[in-house]
Amino acid sequence: MGDDLRRTQLFDLHVELGAKLVPFAGYEMPVQYPMGVLKEHLHCRTQAGLFDVSHMGQVLLRPKTGVLAAGALERLVPQDLVGLKKGRQRYAFFTNESGGILDDLMVANRGDHLFLVVNAACKAADIAHMRAALPDCEIEEITDRALLALQGPGAEAVLDRIAPGTGAMRFMDVAVMASEFGALWVSRSGYTGEDGFEISVPGGAAQDLARAILQDDTVAPIGLGARDSLRLEAGLCLYGNDIDETTSPVEAGLEWAMQKARKPGGAREGGFPGADRILQELTEGAPRRRVGLRPEGRAPMRAGTEIFNENGDMIGAVTSGAFGPSIEAPMSMGYVTPQHAEIGTQVFGEVRGKRLPATITGLPFRPAGFKR
């Protein structure tokens, strides 16, 4: 490993647990444990998995005198944050002037301030972006807390024993919960398509909390490998693969994450970077669309695979692809022209010089298990 890679507060625990470590977003992170990616994936789907996501950015956004933090942040995202109730969080994305996505993030309303979780590879740029555009707000990066994700159908029972009351939280609720590991900033959400929680914990208590969670026989440590196959089965985007600065939210099929107030005819229509393009695409359609693909056979069509129609014309490309352990079949996501985006359309992916058939399918690849 390079000397310039950073380590999370759980690094020693990963080594102790036998993790295979790889460079990821500037950090030395576990890609898998001795259980292996396939078994880790299935364990999370059937019981519970613990993920170290401390490499991600935790940011507090506080308003200066006379300013509403939610209203200020709406200048950078196409979400309705003014209407976000205290104790709730929302998926959002920063857009650029050309309507592309700079990053996707979670925004929580904690009363007198907002709590943001941003992607690890983008956090420095995101914080600089906010500081430049929001002079009426204080932007504070939190560096003394770790971030864990506990995901799977057994997550609720495990965490409720450690922080009583978490079991009563609804999907996308946020709360500060008392525990013997200090104040836990908990959200009921996650990136696996399962019920679960993300837990911000004081850095000095992170290893003790992780050990306490792992003492439960239903919980296994899960690495980045299974995290990727879990999120792909759930039809969720990975920033830098499925969405980036060249991708508009409408192309990515993320219209659901833009509330009525910010859309054409809404109370606060537009007013965010790239609004002209995004609002136009909402009305008139986008030049390409993110779709699910189910290749025939057992071989996955991975990122970069070119997609062709029945006439041999190139119509798009795969952005993420893997074998889905829960669906027992290969799965991919990618972009195609709108006329080929209809579910059931047959297309062809070029794999090792051969054009292999695949079918456009709906997302997610398996139903979500979120608690509603």
Side-chain angles (χ1 to χ4, degrees):
M1 294 288 173
D3 294 336
D4 56 342
L5 290 175
R6 299 168 71 179
R7 293 174 172 177
T8 72
Q9 294 95 331
L10 297 185
F11 178 82
D12 291 343
L13 180 59
H14 298 318
V15 172
E16 182 183 318
L17 293 171
K20 178 184 177 183
L21 298 159
V22 298
F24 183 81
Y27 286 78
E28 218 172 331
M29 296 294 290
V31 68
Q32 66 178 75
Y33 297 87
M35 180 184 282
V37 173
L38 177 69
K39 290 182 178 177
E40 289 174 29
H41 177 115
L42 294 172
H43 191 94
C44 183
R45 286 273 183 253
T46 56
Q47 298 186 69
L50 183 67
F51 303 75
D52 180 9
V53 289
S54 305
H55 58 309
M56 298 182 75
Q58 302 182 63
V59 183
L60 298 180
L61 192 154
R62 295 187 179 90
K64 295 180 181 176
T65 306
V67 175
L68 185 69
L73 190 57
E74 280 192 7
R75 299 200 294 265
L76 297 181
V77 302
Q79 277 68 42
D80 174 9
L81 301 180
V82 172
L84 181 62
K85 291 183 170 61
K86 182 181 177 182
R88 297 287 289 166
Q89 72 173 5
R90 182 158 282 168
Y91 174 70
F93 30 81
F94 293 123
T95 51
N96 61 23
E97 292 299 336
S98 60
I101 300 172
L102 291 171
D103 194 15
D104 59 344
L105 65 150
M106 301 301 296
V107 181
N109 180 349
R110 302 208 327 187
D112 62 350
H113 67 278
L114 300 177
F115 174 51
L116 282 56
V117 177
V118 301
N119 282 307
C122 303
K123 62 184 173 183
D126 288 348
I127 290 167
H129 180 55
M130 287 189 283
R131 284 180 174 153
L134 307 175
D136 46 359
C137 294
E138 296 286 352
I139 314 295
E140 178 189 358
E141 181 181 6
I142 303 300
T143 56
D144 60 353
R145 298 182 73 89
L147 191 64
L148 309 182
L150 180 62
Q151 299 282 295
E156 177 185 289
V158 174
L159 191 58
D160 201 57
R161 284 195 291 272
I162 289 170
T166 49
M169 295 174 68
R170 299 167 298 157
F171 181 59
M172 298 297 263
D173 273 355
V174 297
V176 177
M177 309 299 290
S179 80
E180 63 180 278
F181 307 99
L184 305 180
W185 303 352
V186 181
S187 65
R188 190 162 200 159
S189 61
Y191 194 48
T192 60
E194 296 296 334
D195 183 27
F197 303 86
E198 291 193 331
I199 310 148
S200 175
V201 55
Q207 285 212 32
D208 290 340
L209 173 61
R211 290 179 192 278
I213 291 172
L214 290 167
Q215 277 182 357
D216 193 298
D217 291 340
T218 67
V219 184
I222 313 291
L224 292 170
R227 181 171 162 86
D228 193 53
S229 56
L230 288 159
R231 69 93 192 166
L232 184 51
E233 282 187 345
L236 300 173
C237 294
L238 174 62
Y239 190 82
N241 284 49
D242 309 297
I243 51 175
D244 59 29
E245 293 185 25
T246 70
T247 316
S248 80
V250 182
E251 289 178 325
L254 298 176
E255 300 96 323
W256 60 268
M258 299 170 60
Q259 290 71 39
K260 184 177 178 181
R262 308 304 305 280
K263 290 181 176 179
R268 295 186 309 287
E269 172 185 341
F272 49 85
D276 289 348
R277 174 189 175 185
I278 293 168
L279 297 180
Q280 182 178 0
E281 287 186 355
L282 283 169
T283 303
E284 301 176 9
R288 56 180 183 153
R289 293 289 293 184
R290 179 170 64 95
V291 295
L293 293 140
R294 289 289 295 266
E296 292 184 15
R298 304 287 286 178
M301 292 179 181
R302 302 193 184 277
T305 300
E306 294 179 342
I307 304 169
F308 297 83
N309 66 13
E310 58 186 6
N311 297 323
D313 303 318
M314 184 178 157
I315 56 168
V318 171
T319 53
S320 287
F323 187 82
S326 304
I327 63 172
E328 298 183 331
M331 57 184 176
S332 299
M333 286 197 304
Y335 287 83
V336 298
T337 53
Q339 58 267 41
H340 297 95
E342 189 173 338
I343 291 172
T345 302
Q346 187 175 66
V347 296
F348 300 85
E350 188 159 308
V351 180
R352 291 186 290 276
K354 294 183 178 179
R355 303 257 173 109
L356 304 178
T359 303
I360 302 295
T361 188
L363 295 169
F365 291 100
R366 64 181 300 280
F370 301 133
K371 179 168 182 176
R372 298 296 185 179

